[in-house]
Amino acid sequence: MSEIRLQMDGKDIVAEEGMTLLEAAQSAGISIPTLCHHEKLEPFGGCRICIVEVDVRGWTSLVVSCVYLVAENLVVRTRSEKVDRIRKTLLELLLASAPDSPQLQELAGEYGADRDRFEKEASFCIHCGLCVRYCAEVKKKNAVGFIDRGIRKEISFIPEIAAKECNSCKECFPLCPTSYLQAAFVLTQALAFPSK
Ligand code: SF4
Ligand code: FES
């Protein structure tokens, strides 16, 4: 695999061809926040918190670092006024859904996000899909999925599968960026009221 040279936050770094900007940053010790990324899962690009700025042929654009691939001589900024402003707004929107999430609160502190900017619709789930994708891609069980659409979308465990698989697994719970306990509650509900 060939080496790709690029610049990130003013630092010259070397990445392998096919790496994403996020992977290149991680291997160079540069931190980029993520909410829907997991190294064992296919790139998803859902939450957008990992956006960074890149200069391509004299143009600056915003790209999603967990899906955007490294390229020779690319100039990348993982923090800038624009990047920080977008992350702040994203966090404010997500905090309306999951105001008590420690992970979101920590990021909110870092980016100066106001957790009360948007009206709360606390559903706890920010639709990162980590639990659903982990169960499908890593465990190959599909015990948890999404029901409904848009802002009403929520996770749901499929009782017939969950009854057999979830008690001995629960690997998706700690992946949730908002609430381990709420995911556990949804599972308990599915098992207690399978016809709901
Ligand atoms: S329950 Fe948690 S892990 Fe699952 S999609 Fe929602 S926020 Fe993500
Ligand atoms: S971590 Fe990249 S879009 Fe969510």
Side-chain angles (χ1 to χ4, degrees):
M1 210 166 268
S2 58
E3 289 187 336
I4 305 278
R5 278 154 222 287
L6 64 156
Q7 198 192 81
M8 202 173 272
D9 295 345
K11 199 168 143 186
D12 291 325
I13 65 168
V14 181
E16 279 178 16
E17 192 184 354
M19 269 185 169
T20 62
L21 292 182
L22 177 66
E23 287 167 335
Q26 287 169 341
S27 69
I30 295 171
S31 162
I32 297 176
T34 66
L35 289 169
C36 70
H37 173 78
H38 189 287
E39 61 281 2
K40 288 189 182 162
L41 302 178
E42 288 296 316
F44 182 59
C47 75
R48 299 296 202 252
I49 203 77
C50 68
I51 51 149
V52 296
E53 235 173 44
V54 294
D55 292 340
V56 189
R57 289 184 284 276
W59 292 92
T60 296
S61 43
L62 291 166
V63 299
V64 177
S65 69
C66 66
V67 295
Y68 196 93
L69 299 183
V70 293
E72 195 67 34
N73 297 326
L74 201 64
V75 175
V76 185
R77 284 175 295 280
T78 69
R79 298 286 297 252
S80 71
E81 206 184 310
K82 203 167 182 183
V83 165
D84 283 13
R85 200 171 55 237
I86 293 170
R87 285 188 189 151
K88 172 179 177 293
T89 305
L90 284 171
L91 287 164
E92 287 168 342
L93 286 164
L94 295 173
L95 278 161
S97 299
D100 299 322
S101 157
Q103 198 174 332
L104 292 182
Q105 284 174 2
E106 196 186 321
L107 285 170
E110 189 173 343
Y111 289 94
D114 174 2
R115 77 194 279 265
D116 298 317
R117 177 165 170 204
F118 296 106
E119 200 179 329
K120 304 269 176 302
E121 303 163 22
S123 61
F124 94 86
C125 181
I126 59 167
H127 308 150
C128 74
L130 280 174
C131 57
V132 174
R133 290 179 293 127
Y134 187 88
C135 192
E137 293 177 32
V138 177
K139 305 300 292 186
K140 316 264 186 237
K141 300 295 181 195
N142 296 299
V144 57
F146 280 116
I147 51 168
D148 237 321
R149 311 182 84 163
I151 54 162
R152 290 163 56 87
K153 189 160 99 169
E154 57 184 50
I155 60 155
S156 178
F157 286 85
I158 293 136
E160 302 76 42
I161 307 175
K164 277 197 283 191
E165 308 291 347
C166 295
N167 274 333
S168 60
C169 173
K170 297 179 184 157
E171 287 172 31
C172 65
F173 292 4
L175 304 182
C176 180
T178 67
S179 170
Y180 180 106
L181 283 178
Q182 278 288 356
F185 174 73
V186 178
L187 171 62
T188 310
Q189 242 193 350
L191 296 178
F193 309 104
S195 56
K196 261 184 91 179

